[in-house]
Amino acid sequence: MNTKFDLFDINTLATPCYVTDEGLLRKNLSVLKTVRERTGCKILLAQKAFSMYETYPMIAEYLDGTTASGLNEALLGHEYMGNKEVHVYSPAYRSDDFQKLTQICDHIVFNSCEQWKKYRDMVSKSGRNIKCGIRLNPKYSEIETDIYNPCFTGSRLGTTRDNFDPSCLEGISGLHFHTMCEQNSDTLERTVHAAEEKFGEYFAQMEWLNFGGGHHITREDYDVERLIRIIDYVQQKYGVQMYLEPGEAVALNAGFLVAEVLDTMKNGMDIAIIDASAACHMPDVLEMPYRPNIIGSGKAGEKAYTYRLGAATCLAGDIIGDYSFDEPLKAGDRLVFCDMAIYSMCKNNTFNGINLPDICYNTSEGMKLIKRFGYEDFKCRL
Ligand SMILES: *Cc1c(COP(=O)(O)O)cnc(C)c1O
């Protein structure tokens, strides 16, 4: 099979293999840097989506730091992103972790007034100038999939207006909300107004506001000008420093997963078994769910030869999807899955004893193998 692809030579890589492309990453980062420069807003990498720390020193040229969902991510950002800001938010902190977080974090966001009251003495005893914030739940979100909607009924993520106790704001310098997922700036605009309606009276007494992630800033049709207007409006109206913490937007479309066809077979249709797994290597394909693009392929029936692509695992549902190709697939053919830098490496697993893909970095100096996994990596988690 002929796959037209000129970023790197897919045939010399060992498979399966994640390849992150430096040029594509820099392209995204330049867009984010422009937003920072034009507004004075600070932008952090949300490591939950992308934590290939090999790239952190380069990312540090463009962004203000990292945000973390807990201790391990905070340590990674602290260790590899130079002297940049380290932020953390967790729905609830363990006290042993919290002690360590006070040694490395610049911002700590609490999910509730109760969490803040529990830990504020540890914050002051740290002797460090840590800025503390409360995560709000403005009960406004345009996300339709509950699993990704922090405002769905009964959500534990953030404090609602009903449960918000303004008397706990002493010592709090900022407010945080995160209610978006892969959305454009028109959603942010409506969200900001909804948040203002509920909590606006407290915005002006803050030093900073953090509007979380889910901003698809580097997507082709994203309205960056509107984002800039919103940031200007908020910063001027309330006299605050704004933060955004996108994950996806940093590495959107900047990585690939290269896989190989191991075998083909028939069962009422053509089937190809490949050496990458949805369950292990691209879990969002099953969880979200979504259908990743494969270079040179079409939808089922669109091109001459349609295959159901499945993994070499024992999970019946470990199916990536139905795809069509110009030529029949055969063992040894390479497939290139797109947009595989985000929510992939940081989310994969060794279910079924399936090996983890290599991690490669395609740089201006050529292809670098960053990591290769084997039996020891499988064994050490069990
Ligand atoms: C997930 C998350 C992010 C990043 O979200 P993306 O959709 O990857 O941009 C940022 N902040 C918080 C609090 C998050 O939970």
Side-chain angles (χ1 to χ4, degrees), residues 44-50 67-69 88-90 109 135 148 150 157 176-183 210-217 244-250 342-343:
L44 312 166
L45 163 69
Q47 298 175 89
K48 179 183 78 191
F50 180 73
T67 190
S69 321
V88 66
Y89 157 76
S90 170
V109 176
R135 176 164 173 174
Y148 293 109
L157 304 171
H176 178 291
F177 65 77
H178 167 77
T179 60
M180 290 170 51
C181 181
E182 300 187 336
Q183 279 156 324
N210 184 326
F211 290 174
H215 317 278
H216 239 186
I217 305 172
L244 297 177
E245 44 182 37
E248 281 214 32
V250 173
I342 50 177
Y343 293 103

Side-chain angles (χ1 to χ4, degrees), residues 50-62:
F50 180 73
S51 16
M52 184 181 161
Y53 56 90
E54 174 75 20
T55 65
Y56 283 12
M58 186 274 279
I59 293 176
E61 297 169 27
Y62 298 84

